[in-house]
Amino acid sequence: MATSFMDGTRICPYKKQNCNLQEEGVAPDKVMGKSVDYDELVYVWTAFRDATGPKIKKTYIDLSNESARLNNFTDRGAQWRSLYEDDNFIDNMEKLWRQVRPLYIELHKYVGRKLKMRYRSKLDISDGLIPDNVFGEAQPIFWTNISDIARPFPSASKLDLDVDAALIKQGYTPLRMFQTVDKFFQSLGLLPMAVAYNESAGAVIQEPADKSIFCGGGGSAWTFCDKKNIQFSNCFRIKMCTKVTYEDLIIAHHEMGHIQYFMQMEDQPFMFREPPNRAFNEAIGDLITLSVATPNHLPGINLLNDYIESAEADINNLMDMALLKVSFMPFGLLGDKWRWDAFRGSVTEDKWNTHWWEYKRSYQSIKSRLRDQMKEILILVLCLPLSSMNKISRKYYLSRVLQFQFYKGLCIATGQYDPANKVVSLHKCNFYNSTLVGNRIRDAMRLGRSEHWSVPFEILTGNKTISAEPLLEYFEPLHTFLKGENGEYERFLSELIDPRIEVPNVSGLLFSFDEIKEEDFRRSR
């Protein structure tokens, strides 16, 4: 999701930089998602920030802090963190990042190498930092738009392309996609949700032909809290301009996870009719998608008939998932840390931009494409840095960890995953048709916010400690692959360096040889 000013931002095209914005303006993300012209990416990245940055106002901090203090909090950041009922919230979020960081570092190295091969001498990452403008988004939150170059095995099967073709071939519509999603939840013994995607009852599952509506952020789920309506009629709705693609099929599962949560909490008093925290809600939606996005589930619903399983295909699938899940984590953490610092007053307004890029370099190993950073404009966390969308960073950051813990706990419960021998990797677990899983999800959802988060957490995981270890188990095959590939590439480059020259950090030279081609490295092996 994002604010309307970001989704509505238009800039002049690269080839017509003095244009009529109203008639000829283009959306920055659409350009950056498709273009591989480095100069065009630089232009769009800069123009986007010039167009949106001036909307940031310090006044928001002052008013937000005043409101928080009236509610007995030291500042707005402290008020936000209180919702997570953890006295050591900041330290615990840092601990999770330290667990995930080794995997992120290997992913960053590998992606950086691939980007260097694409942009050659125009891309300088000899310092180990990747410029912010080459990830396929105006404000890079995820790296999914560069999956075409990041997938290690182009000739191996790919879930998204194979499922896309099957959906089209079988004549799927948005309605049929949601019906398929509904069947997944019902296979777990959970509530049917047809009312949520019933267009005649007010749901939106495709863009109207007769008018333009805002459908930003992929999709959304809504509850109208109509306690009087026992049959749930017209209480719950999906709003999504669904496209017949694998990506939107996954998003539909996630959004319907929210609808199921709303339904299961319906018997709680109004003040408890929400998840124990925002991260829980997102994690349960994504928990479902982890089971769906497997080559063990999709053939069973006739959507993966031409897929050829192989170790290479597994690595491709895990890479796609890492570009969505792992790439976001440092951004999610640093976004909140920056805002907490601003609310506390530990960084003054004239230092906001510098402080932001210090965090970007430290956590993401990403840098500004402008040498004079004070000329550029700060845009943070999908929208305004201090907007009402405050939950974006921490809820998605923490949900990245929780979803894999939920997934592992339920996969162990069904007997599909044994962490002691790992005959079947965690990323292949599919709990479709498991009422045992459905019962645990139902028991956790029904509590709403009536119990401390640790109670539903234990129902789903079997323990009370949040840890990133299940995430690392899920990506273990990819992590092993990346370490091997990056290590081989470093050794390859070290052999090209004159041994008489002292090289204190070979990895810092990974991307300094513009004449080296990927084929040279492959042949050397």
Side-chain angles (χ1 to χ4, degrees), residues 341-444:
D341 291 345
F343 281 127
R344 276 195 299 262
S346 58
V347 55
T348 56
E349 185 178 5
D350 62 313
K351 302 294 185 187
W352 279 3
N353 198 59
T354 302
H355 192 55
W356 168 243
W357 285 103
E358 287 172 352
Y359 272 152
K360 290 274 281 185
R361 289 191 294 271
S362 175
Y363 284 94
Q364 281 188 297
S365 294
I366 286 177
K367 62 184 175 182
S368 163
R369 61 151 300 275
L370 298 179
R371 292 185 179 180
D372 184 358
Q373 295 173 5
M374 295 311 294
K375 288 184 179 179
E376 85 184 63
I377 303 298
L378 172 67
I379 293 294
L380 175 61
V381 192
L382 296 176
C383 48
L384 291 176
L386 302 162
S387 77
S388 58
M389 300 296 291
N390 66 77
K391 57 190 177 291
I392 291 286
S393 287
R394 78 193 142 281
K395 82 167 182 178
Y396 288 120
Y397 173 80
L398 183 54
S399 77
R400 288 295 192 271
V401 175
L402 294 179
Q403 64 189 258
F404 289 100
Q405 276 198 275
F406 296 166
Y407 184 61
K408 178 183 174 181
L410 295 174
C411 289
I412 290 174
T414 61
Q416 290 203 38
Y417 178 65
D418 181 356
N421 60 40
K422 300 181 182 179
V423 174
V424 178
S425 297
L426 181 56
H427 69 274
K428 291 191 174 182
C429 168
N430 167 33
F431 47 68
Y432 186 65
N433 280 327
S434 173
T435 55
L436 184 153
V437 167
N439 289 339
R440 294 198 180 188
I441 291 175
R442 181 192 303 108
D443 291 345

Side-chain angles (χ1 to χ4, degrees), residues 175-340:
L175 175 59
R176 187 176 171 188
M177 289 171 68
F178 276 96
Q179 290 170 337
T180 300
V181 173
D182 203 356
K183 288 178 182 177
F184 186 98
F185 284 88
Q186 290 185 55
S187 82
L188 306 181
L190 296 172
L191 295 169
M193 297 179 282
V195 64
Y197 53 90
N198 183 350
E199 292 180 281
S200 65
V204 175
I205 60 172
Q206 54 192 323
E207 190 166 4
D210 59 341
K211 58 183 175 182
S212 176
I213 66 171
F214 173 66
C215 272
S220 57
W222 300 81
T223 174
F224 293 89
C225 302
D226 186 2
K227 181 67 175 176
K228 294 180 181 178
N229 199 324
I230 300 174
Q231 299 302 316
F232 305 120
S233 177
N234 210 27
C235 288
F236 309 98
R237 295 181 196 171
I238 288 290
K239 180 185 177 186
M240 181 172 170
C241 294
T242 315
K243 297 179 177 62
V244 182
T245 62
Y246 171 68
E247 180 181 7
D248 276 14
L249 181 67
I250 295 298
I251 293 173
H253 280 85
H254 175 91
E255 297 303 333
M256 290 280 274
H258 295 323
I259 296 292
Q260 186 69 214
Y261 217 141
F262 294 148
M263 289 182 169
Q264 295 292 348
M265 295 186 294
E266 190 69 7
D267 287 335
Q268 289 287 349
F270 180 75
M271 67 182 298
F272 295 140
R273 216 179 299 164
E274 58 181 90
N277 59 55
R278 297 280 183 160
F280 239 85
N281 197 12
E282 295 302 321
I284 285 190
D286 279 347
L287 158 69
I288 301 299
T289 68
L290 291 177
S291 179
V292 172
T294 65
N296 292 353
H297 170 68
L298 293 165
I301 58 173
N302 201 31
L303 287 179
L304 206 59
N305 297 328
D306 298 326
Y307 182 86
I308 301 174
E309 281 208 63
S310 65
E312 291 77 11
D314 279 351
I315 295 298
N316 279 345
N317 295 335
L318 287 169
M319 174 62 78
D320 286 348
M321 195 67 80
L323 295 176
L324 176 65
K325 308 285 187 181
V326 179
S327 68
F328 169 82
M329 292 198 65
F331 182 90
L333 180 59
L334 72 89
D336 266 333
K337 284 177 67 74
W338 183 91
R339 289 185 293 192
W340 296 336

